[in-house]
Amino acid sequence: MPRKSSAADAPLRLDNQICFAVYSAAHAFNRVYKPLLDRLGLTYPQYLVMLVLWERDDVPVKDIGERLFLDSGTLTPLLKRLEAAHLVKRTRSSEDERQVLIALTAQGHALKEKARAVPQSILAASDCSVSELVTMKDEIVALRDRLNAVIGE
Amino acid sequence: MPRKSSAADAPLRLDNQICFAVYSAAHAFNRVYKPLLDRLGLTYPQYLVMLVLWERDDVPVKDIGERLFLDSGTLTPLLKRLEAAHLVKRTRSSEDERQVLIALTAQGHALKEKARAVPQSILAASDCSVSELVTMKDEIVALRDRLNAVIGE
DNA sequence: TCACATTTAATTGTTCGCAATTGAATGTGC
DNA sequence: GCACATTCAATTGCGAACAATTAAATGTGA
C-alpha cells in the first residue's frame, strides 16, 4: 500500500483539476469585486442581475434565470432584496398571471452610472491585456457551453 | 436619455464579463459533477477537501483552507459532515491544542478508489483535448493568482 | 513572570445555489 | 367545454461561502 505519490494518482491531484482552477478563480473574482460592489450596495449575484436589467428592463424572472443559469429558488429571494433596496419593482404580468415582471426603478437606472467604475477596476486587478482576457473569456464560455450541453444530454 | 445599446455600455454588458464566464463555468462544472459525486455521497466542496486529504493526511484545518482558499467558517461545518459520514476523524493536536487535525478513516481512504472514475467522466464531458484543458487551466490559475495578489494589496 | 498580541477553530448571521414540492395560470386534446 | 399536462414563481430544506465575533492556546516583550 504505497502512500507516496504515484503517477496513477495524477488525475486526482488538486492542482491538475481545471474545475478547481475555475472554482477558485470564481472565488477570487468575488473577493476582488466585494469592496467595489459594497459601494453600490450590491452583492456579486445581485450585480449580475442588474447587468441583465441594465441591458433590458421589464422582463420575467425566467428570462433573467436563463441568462444567468439560475432558477427561481435563487432569484426570488434575491429579487425581493433588490426590491427592498428600491432598485427594482416586481409586478405580476397582466397577460400571463404566472409571470412576474422585473422593472428597474429610477434608482435602479441611476445606479448604472456608478457601476461604470467597476469593470475598469477589475481590468486593472486582473493585470492582463484586454485581448488576452477576451480570448480567455471566449475559451471559458465555450467550455461552459460544452458542459451545459452534456447536462441536457 | 438613450435606452438603446451604445458603445459606452460595452464594459457593462454581461457577455463581455470574464468574471461571469468564470462564474457560470463553475456552476456548469458543479452540475456535471453532481450526479458523479452523488454516487460517492459527496458534494463538490467536500470532494475538493477529500482530494486534499488523499494527497496528504493528518493536516490541520488551516492547511486545507490555504489549499482551497476557504476559511474555518466554511470548513468547520463541512468537516463535521464528513465526520458524520465516517470519512474523516477530527482530533485536537496534542502539541498545539488550538489546531484540529483531520485524518482519513479507512472508509475515507477506500473512497479514493471509487473516485478514480470521476476525472475521466469530466474529461469526456468537457469534450476537449487534455492539452487544451491543461493550457486553459494554467491560464485560469495565473489569472486567479494575480487576482489574489491584489486582495493582499 | 506577566501583560499583551497572535494564532486557530468555532460560532453566528446573511446571502447564494439548487433539488423538490406546491399552487396558480395557461395551453392542449378529445 | 373539460380533464390533463405544462409552465411559472414561490416555498422549504440543506449545504456552501464569508464577515464578524468569540474563546482558548500559544508566543513575545518588558
Side-chain angles (χ1 to χ4, degrees), chain B residues 116-151:
Chain B
R116 290 186 196 281
V118 173
Q120 54 204 69
S121 299
I122 296 298
L123 179 61
S126 69
D127 189 25
C128 213
S129 77
V130 172
S131 66
E132 280 176 303
L133 286 177
V134 168
T135 303
M136 271 186 73
K137 174 188 66 73
D138 290 343
E139 288 171 356
I140 296 168
V141 165
L143 174 61
R144 176 197 74 195
D145 291 345
R146 284 197 297 275
L147 291 172
N148 278 332
V150 171
I151 295 163

Side-chain angles (χ1 to χ4, degrees), chain B residues 52-65:
Chain B
V52 169
L53 294 173
W54 285 328
E55 286 182 30
R56 189 155 43 95
D57 214 347
D58 245 315
V59 291
V61 174
K62 189 174 191 296
D63 285 19
I64 300 174

Side-chain angles (χ1 to χ4, degrees), chain A residues 3 16 22-23 35 37 39-40 42 44-45 47 53-54 59 61 81-82 87-88 109 120 122 129 132 142 146 152-153:
Chain A
R3 191 113 317 159
N16 291 342
V22 171
Y23 169 91
L37 295 181
R39 285 177 231 163
L40 306 184
L42 296 173
Y44 180 69
Y47 174 69
L53 293 174
W54 286 328
V59 291
V61 174
R81 284 188 280 273
L82 288 180
L87 294 174
V88 307
H109 278 294
Q120 54 204 68
I122 296 299
S129 77
E132 279 176 304
R146 283 197 298 274
E153 241 68 357

Side-chain angles (χ1 to χ4, degrees), chain B:
Chain B
M1 271 293 132
R3 194 118 308 163
K4 56 181 293 196
S5 79
S6 95
D9 288 346
L12 285 178
R13 210 124 55 210
L14 182 68
D15 291 337
N16 292 341
Q17 310 285 329
I18 188 171
C19 63
F20 175 64
V22 171
Y23 169 91
S24 55
H27 290 317
F29 267 118
N30 213 326
R31 285 188 284 267
V32 173
Y33 269 99
K34 178 116 199 349
L36 301 172
L37 295 181
D38 278 350
R39 284 177 233 163
L40 306 184
L42 295 174
T43 65
Y44 179 69
Q46 289 169 6
Y47 173 69
L48 291 181
V49 169
M50 294 301 285
L51 287 181
V52 169
L53 294 173
W54 285 328
E55 286 182 30
R56 189 155 43 95
D57 214 347
D58 245 315
V59 291
V61 174
K62 189 174 191 296
D63 285 19
I64 300 174
E66 282 174 358
R67 201 77 198 285
L68 299 178
F69 307 97
L70 297 174
D71 68 1
S72 69
T74 301
L75 288 175
T76 297
L78 188 156
L79 289 166
K80 284 182 178 175
R81 281 179 215 110
L82 288 180
E83 188 175 45
H86 309 295
L87 294 173
V88 307
K89 203 153 169 19
R90 299 161 66 249
T91 48
R92 230 158 242 291
S93 164
S94 49
E95 295 107 54
D96 187 340
E97 291 274 346
R98 294 170 303 181
Q99 296 186 347
V100 169
L101 298 179
I102 309 298
L104 290 169
T105 62
Q107 278 186 55
H109 278 294
L111 195 64
K112 183 174 184 177
E113 300 313 314
K114 282 184 77 176
R116 290 186 196 281
V118 173
Q120 54 204 69
S121 299
I122 296 298
L123 179 61
S126 69
D127 189 25
C128 213
S129 77
V130 172
S131 66
E132 280 176 303
L133 286 177
V134 168
T135 303
M136 271 186 73
K137 174 188 66 73
D138 290 343
E139 288 171 356
I140 296 168
V141 165
L143 174 61
R144 176 197 74 195
D145 291 345
R146 284 197 297 275
L147 291 172
N148 278 332
V150 171
I151 295 163
E153 242 70 357

Side-chain angles (χ1 to χ4, degrees), chain A residues 2-21:
Chain A
R3 191 113 317 159
K4 55 181 296 195
S5 77
S6 95
D9 288 346
L12 285 177
R13 211 123 55 207
L14 183 68
D15 291 337
N16 291 342
Q17 310 284 330
I18 188 172
C19 64
F20 175 63

